[in-house]
Amino acid sequence: MFNPNLILNAASELNLSIKTSGDLSKIIMKLEEFKPKNNKNFLQLSEKENQELKKTQFDLNQLKKVKMIIKIVKLGVEVSSFDDLNELKKKKIENLIKIDPFVFSKVQENLLIIDNQKKNFKNLKDKNNEIIVNEYDLMPQTTLMILFLSIIIILSIIASYLGFSYLFLEEKFTFFNETFAFWTMLLGGLICLLSINYLFKSIVIKMKHVKNKDKICDELATIFLNKKEKKINKNISRLIKKNFEIERKYIKEGSVLKLKELLIEESNLLSSLKNNFH
């Protein structure tokens, strides 16, 4: 036999009170007043009464479901933060609203990029520091710098000597004049002095590289990895924010459309139940 408490409990959860003048109230009263004489004695309800009970039970359960979904969808309409979005994902809002497949694929694409960047950086950190330094050419090319500076010093000395000889020695060069010779001597001398300064610095650096190669490799690799990590984290943050904006937009739009449908369904269910509840 049907248990009327199922309907009454469902109605109570929905803050609905049964109308004493309704057909449902009469059926429930009939059920409650029935006193079976033995285990084989059952109350026989008419087909209409059975249908009324089934329909009422279905409408109440459906109304409970609709109201629960409305609460979730309203959160989707108002989503404004990462916490809101994560809460909605826990509630599986993507199963309640329509999602554009293109939007979903774009979000997955960004997540894949984030995952790949994390994996690549992890693989990079697992490498030996010396390998990182060599692979990314982090060690200053002091040998080439020393060679380059040596050539510059020789050329600047020659240029300076040519200008000096034109101004102060008997040997003259037809392609010079006094102004040109003066600036050639001056600039050549300055370039020579600067080059010698950088040459000595490069030699000192080279000596340090030879003497403390492992330590320098560790320092260069650490600096490189820190910069790389900051760059990757910045890029990941940008992609996460981009994904949030994409998801927030489609969830909000989908929630607005779904909320309209649900409010109409809620109104229809309440109209269906109004003969028996208030």
Side-chain angles (χ1 to χ4, degrees), residues 22 40 48 52 75 85 88 94 100 120 123 129 142 146 154 172 174 182-184 191 219 225 235-236 250 261 266:
K40 296 182 179 180
K48 182 179 179 181
E52 182 70 19
L75 293 176
L85 185 60
L88 287 168
E94 63 271 15
D100 186 345
N120 291 338
N123 292 335
N129 286 339
T142 50
I146 290 171
I154 294 171
K172 308 289 184 182
T174 55
F182 171 78
W183 285 109
T184 300
I191 292 172
E219 290 176 354
L225 289 173
N235 193 39
I236 288 175
Y250 83 69
E261 296 176 8
E266 181 187 37

Side-chain angles (χ1 to χ4, degrees), residues 6-19:
L6 295 175
I7 288 179
L8 295 176
N9 290 337
S12 177
E13 291 177 13
L14 294 166
N15 295 320
L16 295 176
S17 301
I18 192 168
K19 289 182 178 179

Side-chain angles (χ1 to χ4, degrees), residues 139-261:
M139 189 74 76
Q141 298 298 323
T142 50
T143 301
L144 290 177
M145 181 60 70
I146 290 171
L147 178 60
F148 173 75
L149 290 171
S150 297
I151 294 172
I152 293 296
I153 290 170
I154 294 171
L155 293 176
S156 62
I157 289 174
I158 293 172
S160 183
Y161 172 77
L162 291 176
F164 179 80
S165 64
Y166 184 88
L167 293 173
F168 302 104
L169 302 179
E170 294 182 358
E171 188 177 359
K172 308 289 184 182
F173 299 93
T174 55
F175 53 85
F176 274 97
N177 56 45
E178 287 189 4
T179 302
F180 186 64
F182 171 78
W183 285 109
T184 300
M185 180 185 69
L186 180 61
L187 292 176
L190 288 174
I191 292 172
C192 180
L193 292 173
L194 289 173
S195 299
I196 290 172
N197 178 52
Y198 284 114
L199 177 63
F200 278 113
K201 287 183 178 180
S202 298
I203 292 172
V204 171
I205 293 172
K206 181 66 177 179
M207 292 173 64
K208 287 182 178 179
H209 287 178
V210 174
K211 185 178 180 180
N212 303 307
K213 184 178 179 181
D214 293 339
K215 182 180 178 181
I216 292 173
C217 281
D218 292 343
E219 290 176 354
L220 291 173
T222 300
I223 293 170
F224 173 77
L225 289 173
N226 288 338
K227 289 182 178 179
K228 192 78 172 176
E229 186 174 20
K230 286 181 180 179
K231 184 177 179 181
I232 289 174
N233 287 339
K234 184 177 180 181
N235 193 39
I236 288 175
S237 297
R238 180 182 61 81
L239 289 172
I240 290 174
K241 185 176 180 180
K242 185 177 180 181
N243 264 7
F244 168 73
E245 292 300 330
I246 292 172
E247 291 182 291
R248 185 184 69 84
K249 182 180 179 182
Y250 83 69
I251 285 177
K252 187 171 184 177
E253 290 175 351
S255 296
V256 169
L257 294 175
K258 187 65 177 179
L259 183 59
K260 290 179 181 178
E261 296 176 8

Side-chain angles (χ1 to χ4, degrees), residues 1 26-36 43:
M1 187 172 68
K26 295 175 182 178
I27 297 172
I28 291 176
M29 189 177 296
K30 183 177 180 181
L31 289 169
E32 290 177 343
E33 290 176 351
F34 175 70
K35 306 295 182 183
L43 175 65

